[in-house]
Structure formats: structure tokens, C-alpha cells
Amino acid sequence: MELSLATRTVADHTVLEVGGEVDVYTAPRLRERLIELIDGGARNVIVDLGRVDFLDSTGLGVLVGALKRLRAVRGTFGLVCDKEPLLKIFRITALDQVFPLHPTVDAAIAADSSGPDA
């Protein structure tokens, strides 16, 4: 399956909408896009996984890398995910303790705006 990537701006956040499968074959495209956004000045990034059907460990690694890159420039990073199979992956890997997970883009923006611990 193909990977689709679309970027939009909501308030002062860059939202990267991801669709399809994020796996060993498609993850490099996601990594390149995230690096491009961050190097281009995006500091408040939300990755919307709402249309992702599959996510493997390579995809998780890309997300962790983006989080680290944003933290290094004092940015914020959030994930939008409401699909139980994907949420289960985050729980099993304990990455639900690392990533701010939100059910919607609006919820992610609201949480990010409420303070540094959000």
C-alpha cells in the first residue's frame, strides 16, 4: 500500500497527515518529510495517524527520531491516533509514555497550548 503525506497549518502548528502503511519500505519517506519540516522551521509538529492502517517498528523509530529532533530545538511533537490497533502498539512498546497521544488534531493543539507539561 502507498504512503500519503499531506501538510497543513492549524494555528501555529504544522500538521502532517499520514495515510496508508508506515513500514520498512515507506518509513524513509516519512523521515525525510519530518526532517524537511523541522529543518524548515516547524517547531510545533503534530503527526496525524488517523488514516494509517499499519505501523511497524521502523515507523516507530522515525517518530522517535522526530521527537528527539524537535526536543533539541525546543519544539513540541504530538501524535493524533484513535485506532485501537495502533494505540495497542504504543502501549506494548511503552511509547504511550513518551508521545503525547490525542484523539483529534484539535485536542492535540489544545493540550499543547495548555502548558509545557501537556
Side-chain angles (χ1 to χ4, degrees), residues 58-72:
T58 308
L60 289 174
V62 167
L63 296 174
V64 169
L67 174 66
K68 288 181 179 180
R69 186 176 287 264
L70 273 163
R71 282 184 175 166

Side-chain angles (χ1 to χ4, degrees), residues 14-46:
T14 301
V15 179
L16 178 58
E17 298 173 343
V18 184
E21 296 182 358
V22 182
D23 58 22
V24 68
Y25 302 106
T26 61
R29 279 188 51 216
L30 177 60
R31 177 183 294 115
E32 288 169 14
R33 185 57 175 270
L34 285 164
I35 290 171
E36 177 184 292
L37 290 172
I38 298 164
D39 287 353
R43 291 296 174 262
N44 301 306
V45 177
I46 297 170

Side-chain angles (χ1 to χ4, degrees), residues 45-47 49 63 67 71 75-81 87 90 95-104 107-109 111-112 115-118:
V45 177
I46 297 170
V47 176
L49 301 174
L63 296 174
L67 174 66
R71 282 184 175 166
T76 64
F77 187 77
L79 295 177
V80 173
C81 181
L87 290 170
F90 286 103
L95 288 173
D96 62 332
Q97 304 299 309
V98 175
F99 290 110
L101 294 166
H102 307 281
T104 66
I109 291 170
D112 194 38
D117 296 331

Side-chain angles (χ1 to χ4, degrees), residues 1-5 17-22 48 50-53:
M1 179 173 226
E2 279 294 309
L3 177 72
S4 66
L5 301 171
E17 298 173 343
V18 184
E21 296 182 358
V22 182
D48 185 348
R51 294 186 5 233
V52 170
D53 301 315

